[in-house]
């Protein structure tokens, strides 16, 4: 997660890099806002959809993806998300609105979701507590096949914009990954002139120190009091902390 902070007030820009984490964001109200992100990894239903390549996640497919397996995965995800105790949580690798709706129901959140052009049906979504965050509008930004979900609203009556992103993995063409990162940077820059807090969260498929983070997205780990995106996890990563080093 990375934070941006315009000079006019203590706004912030912040971004989440890791597959699962939560962080408190100081706000103008007495109670801080807790944000999180979680890659739920191939959350498919069991129905073969003509709109995406999901055949392996069906009862007759390679994964033997039955209703029992789907419900077991859903219950485990819900347990983790409830334990995170976030006010707002972004998720990625969801097939469609119905799986997000079920996960939100199990965890007590409202949600927003839009279908992307991803061939496997891998979308992003945002789940939130309505008493902490009020959504005004949401849209997809960027021209890449897995476009970025932009959600605009207010938290404690303060304007807040959230981008949920899922960049291509290291297994894909690195040129494609860099192109998607460049598109994400353009979207961030288009919003940076607003007097509004901005949060970028997602699975960027990179570590906090990699070139895409430093040289393309230009996230800054030094401070969050200037008009830049703040990366709060680079120092943690160097200390060997965080979900990306869980099995080291």
């Amino acid at each position: 997660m990375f934070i941006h902070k315009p000079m006019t007030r203590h706004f912030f820009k912040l971004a989440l890099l890791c597959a699962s984490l939560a962080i408190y964001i100081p706000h103008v109200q007495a109670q801080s806002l807790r944000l999180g992100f979680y890659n739920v990894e191939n959350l498919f239903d069991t129905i073969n959809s003509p709109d995406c390549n999901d055949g392996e996640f069906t009862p007759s497919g390679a994964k033997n993806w039955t209703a029992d397996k789907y419900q077991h995965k859903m219950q485990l995800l819900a347990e983790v998300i409830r334990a995170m105790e976030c006010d707002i949580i972004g998720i990625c690798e969801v097939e469609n609105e119905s799986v997000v709706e079920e996960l939100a129901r199990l965890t007590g959140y409202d949600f927003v979701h839009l279908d992307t052009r991803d061939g496997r049906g891998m979308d992003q979504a945002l789940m939130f507590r309505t008493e902490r965050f009020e959504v005004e509008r949401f849209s997809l930004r960027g021209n890449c096949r897995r476009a970025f979900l932009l959600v605009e609203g207010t938290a404690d009556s303060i304007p807040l914009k959230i981008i949920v992103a899922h960049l291509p993995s290291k297994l894909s063409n690195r040129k494609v990954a860099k192109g998607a990162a460049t598109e994400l940077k353009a979207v961030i820059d288009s919003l940076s002139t607003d007097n509004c807090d901005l949060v970028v969260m997602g699975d960027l498929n990179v570590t906090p120190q990699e070139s895409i983070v430093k040289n393309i997205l230009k996230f800054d780990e030094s401070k969050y009091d200037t008009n830049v995106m703040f990366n709060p996890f680079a120092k943690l990563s160097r200390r060997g902390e965080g979900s990306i080093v869980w099995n080291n």
Side-chain angles (χ1 to χ4, degrees):
M1 183 183 292
F2 299 83
I3 301 174
H4 168 257
K5 201 172 178 186
M7 300 300 291
T8 54
R9 182 177 63 77
H10 291 298
F11 295 89
F12 57 79
K13 285 185 183 174
L14 175 133
L16 289 170
L17 283 174
C18 303
S20 61
L21 59 91
I23 184 169
Y24 282 109
I25 303 300
H27 222 277
V28 294
Q29 302 296 322
Q31 185 179 8
S32 58
L33 191 68
R34 185 172 174 87
L35 305 180
F37 177 81
Y38 192 11
N39 182 337
V40 296
E41 296 187 350
N42 295 314
L43 184 55
F44 286 90
D45 60 24
T46 62
I47 302 169
N48 194 352
S49 171
D51 298 323
C52 64
N53 183 18
D54 65 346
E56 62 179 328
F57 285 93
T58 60
S60 60
K63 301 290 187 183
N64 188 27
W65 194 240
T66 63
D68 286 344
K69 288 182 177 180
Y70 169 74
Q71 289 299 330
H72 180 64
K73 179 181 178 73
M74 190 68 76
Q75 292 295 331
L76 292 177
L77 290 173
E79 182 179 351
V80 172
I81 289 173
R82 285 193 295 264
M84 293 173 74
E85 297 183 337
C86 294
D87 299 307
I88 302 171
I89 181 168
I91 56 176
C92 73
E93 295 200 12
V94 295
E95 181 187 8
N96 52 42
E97 183 173 314
S98 67
V99 299
V100 182
E101 183 176 20
E102 182 168 358
L103 186 59
R105 177 181 58 80
L106 290 172
T107 51
Y109 288 94
D110 203 343
F111 73 94
V112 296
H113 162 270
L114 289 171
D115 289 314
T116 69
R117 295 184 293 107
D118 183 75
R120 294 188 62 231
M122 295 283 91
D123 300 334
Q124 298 81 251
L126 190 76
M127 303 195 303
F128 53 93
R129 305 288 188 199
T130 54
E131 66 271 20
R132 298 305 317 279
F133 184 58
E134 182 178 351
V135 172
E136 296 176 348
R137 53 190 170 271
F138 54 98
S139 59
L140 291 176
R141 296 293 182 94
N143 295 317
C144 53
R145 59 184 177 84
R146 198 182 290 157
F148 317 116
L149 178 64
L150 172 64
V151 184
E152 303 174 71
T154 57
D156 298 331
S157 300
I158 301 298
L160 173 62
K161 296 183 179 182
I162 300 173
I163 298 172
V164 188
H166 186 193
L167 296 188
S169 72
K170 294 180 179 179
L171 298 177
S172 68
N173 186 308
R174 296 309 294 167
K175 183 177 180 180
V176 173
K178 289 181 179 180
T182 300
E183 282 201 37
L184 176 56
K185 181 63 166 63
V187 173
I188 293 169
D189 288 346
S190 73
L191 301 171
S192 295
T193 56
D194 299 342
N195 282 334
C196 181
D197 296 341
L198 174 62
V199 173
V200 178
M201 60 171 65
D203 186 350
L204 305 188
N205 275 300
V206 291
T207 66
Q209 289 86 25
E210 289 189 42
S211 174
I212 282 178
V213 175
K214 289 186 173 183
N215 300 327
I216 297 179
L217 296 172
K218 299 187 183 302
F219 294 148
D220 192 311
E221 64 179 271
S222 60
K223 52 189 175 180
Y224 60 93
D225 61 352
T226 58
N227 193 28
V228 296
M229 298 298 298
F230 172 61
N231 175 3
F233 302 109
K235 293 180 181 178
L236 292 177
S237 177
R238 283 197 297 272
R239 294 204 301 263
E241 301 178 23
S243 62
I244 59 174
V245 293
W246 69 272
N247 62 344
N248 286 3

